[in-house]
Amino acid sequence: MNRMKSFKSLTVCAAFAAITLSCSSHKDIVPYEEFCSVVDSISHANNVKMFVEPNQYKTFGLRREDFDNTKRRLAKYKDSLTVYVLEMGVTRSLLVNYRPGRDTLEHVIARYWATEEQRKHRKNRISWREYRDSIYKVNPDVGLVPKNTWKKRRMLRSELHADMMSARPLKPQTYIMEKGADGKYRTTRRVTDSVELAKIKARRYRWNSVANGMLGSAHNKNPYIGLVFGAEDYRLSDTERLWLKVYAGHCHPFPKARPTCEVQDYNTYVVVKDSTGREDRVYIKVRDPRFRLLQNPPFRYTFTANFEYNGRWYYVFMCENPLRCVCRPIDVPQKDFPA
């Protein structure tokens, strides 16, 4: 119980690959002193011990738009026997590490500065090439943060193991929790079927997911007002993956509602991986997006669109049935397609 329960993971999805600038270059970053002041207030109000890692915060920082949600999140920690260590990750997301038991705040702070002293010496730090090769041995399909962003953390060799563990590919299985007559949730069965897994994940996140190269779909018994669905890491080929989000709104009440949909260009791109494992984004423009609401609830819809990538046109069809969702090349372009 005295061991740090780490939530660290530098292996983030390619959606975060655009984060390359330090927080000092952004005006929307909450200053370190202001953040510490809020943390101190929450600590005194809840009688808990919290420590903000200064070097990590000053390197990455917290976005002003996330400040209110972060304060509400921190206010929920009320275990007086635990030391909460607050660290900012490379995506400017707050990581809360726990030090339960008899550990003191003074000991946590002393260990932190001892670790930071080791970080000053290059011989204790791992190189980007060694880090990249180690991670790819565990999972060759994992997406890494940009090199310049990763280097700001100055990772120690002793910290590599945690990232290697988090990079391991997940097994295609999940457990179903169901509520019994007594009101308690219990694990009732394990699911390994890829199609059912896609449906379960879609119900949780309320947007389309990918299972073995197949588009998933959103399911819910409650009426939607607005939601997001699309292709998340959809495999066009062995080296090309599509990311596409559709923002649907005004979906309730049905049939009086007048549904709308929007596809933003900066959220639509293909991630291309070369032979060395390096990834690049190719942004694409979705044309003629059409969203039609068929029923709500249960939520049923159709969405069609076209886009051009690498000199070829593609057709996208999505609906609530993952077996019917497709993204395929168009062999004969329509007459209204741009030249």
Side-chain angles (χ1 to χ4, degrees):
M1 294 296 291
N2 291 331
R3 188 173 58 182
M4 181 82 72
K5 295 182 181 178
S6 176
F7 292 93
K8 297 175 182 177
S9 174
L10 284 181
T11 54
V12 297
C13 64
F16 296 109
I19 304 173
T20 58
L21 299 178
S22 67
C23 66
S24 60
S25 60
H26 291 262
K27 297 180 180 180
D28 62 341
I29 299 300
V30 178
Y32 172 71
E33 293 76 12
E34 181 181 353
F35 183 73
C36 286
S37 177
V38 171
V39 171
D40 289 341
S41 299
I42 295 175
S43 300
H44 288 112
N46 294 343
N47 191 28
V48 296
K49 293 168 286 188
M50 291 185 175
F51 170 60
V52 182
E53 297 187 347
N55 290 348
Q56 282 71 14
Y57 188 90
K58 293 176 181 178
T59 300
F60 301 108
L62 176 71
R63 286 182 289 257
R64 178 68 66 177
E65 62 189 39
D66 300 329
F67 198 18
D68 290 338
N69 288 335
T70 300
K71 288 187 285 187
R72 286 191 289 267
R73 175 186 172 189
L74 294 179
K76 297 179 180 179
Y77 296 109
K78 298 182 179 181
D79 187 356
S80 59
L81 299 179
T82 298
V83 178
Y84 300 100
V85 181
L86 312 183
E87 176 190 357
M88 296 309 303
V90 294
T91 60
R92 297 195 180 92
S93 57
L94 181 67
L95 309 174
V96 181
N97 302 308
Y98 303 88
R99 295 292 303 187
R102 299 181 179 179
D103 208 349
T104 65
L105 182 60
E106 291 74 19
H107 290 165
V108 171
I109 295 175
R111 280 194 297 271
Y112 169 78
W113 287 114
T115 301
E116 292 304 294
E117 183 63 31
Q118 296 181 29
R119 213 181 297 278
K120 293 180 181 179
H121 305 286
R122 185 179 297 272
K123 65 179 181 180
N124 297 328
R125 304 200 301 265
I126 191 171
S127 68
W128 166 256
R129 176 176 295 181
E130 185 177 353
Y131 172 79
R132 181 194 61 193
D133 294 346
S134 299
I135 295 296
Y136 282 155
K137 285 182 181 179
V138 176
N139 186 356
D141 296 324
V142 75
L144 302 180
V145 296
K147 178 180 178 180
N148 292 338
T149 304
W150 177 88
K151 289 177 68 175
K152 294 175 184 178
R153 189 183 168 195
R154 300 184 299 170
M155 176 180 280
L156 298 174
R157 294 184 179 276
S158 59
E159 297 172 332
L160 175 61
H161 180 70
D163 275 24
M164 292 177 63
M165 294 296 291
S166 63
R168 289 183 176 181
L170 300 176
K171 295 181 180 179
Q173 62 183 33
T174 189
Y175 293 90
I176 299 298
M177 300 289 292
E178 295 181 343
K179 190 176 183 179
D182 56 358
K184 296 183 179 180
Y185 285 88
R186 294 180 177 87
T187 302
T188 58
R189 61 190 176 94
R190 187 176 70 177
V191 178
T192 57
D193 179 70
S194 61
V195 175
E196 190 171 0
L197 282 173
K199 293 181 179 180
I200 292 172
K201 183 178 179 183
R203 283 199 299 269
R204 178 180 178 185
Y205 293 105
R206 294 192 177 190
W207 70 304
N208 288 31
S209 307
V210 173
N212 298 332
M214 179 180 59
L215 292 173
S217 58
H219 294 259
N220 199 278
K221 295 181 180 179
N222 298 321
Y224 285 107
I225 297 176
L227 78 161
V228 183
F229 61 90
E232 180 188 21
D233 207 21
Y234 178 78
R235 188 187 297 271
L236 292 177
S237 69
D238 291 340
T239 59
E240 299 165 311
R241 300 192 179 199
L242 171 67
W243 291 78
L244 184 152
K245 287 185 181 180
V246 180
Y247 297 84
H250 304 288
C251 297
H252 185 75
F254 180 84
K256 296 181 180 180
R258 295 183 178 180
T260 61
C261 78
E262 180 183 9
V263 182
Q264 299 168 340
D265 293 341
Y266 60 82
N267 274 334
T268 308
Y269 53 87
V270 176
V271 176
V272 184
K273 181 185 293 187
D274 61 20
S275 58
T276 65
R278 181 176 177 273
E279 293 183 344
D280 288 323
R281 286 188 184 186
V282 179
Y283 287 89
I284 56 180
K285 182 176 181 62
V286 174
R287 299 184 182 275
D288 198 23
R290 297 185 180 182
F291 171 74
R292 183 184 179 191
L293 184 63
L294 304 179
Q295 190 173 343
N296 187 26
F299 188 74
R300 295 181 59 237
Y301 71 98
T302 59
F303 173 82
T304 59
N306 307 301
F307 67 87
E308 184 183 15
Y309 165 69
N310 199 20
R312 194 171 191 181
W313 282 93
Y314 288 79
Y315 168 75
V316 176
F317 173 82
M318 285 183 279
C319 66
E320 75 283 351
N321 185 354
L323 297 178
R324 295 177 57 202
C325 298
V326 296
C327 176
R328 60 170 179 255
I330 300 175
D331 295 327
V332 181
Q334 301 298 314
K335 60 182 180 180
D336 58 342
F337 282 5

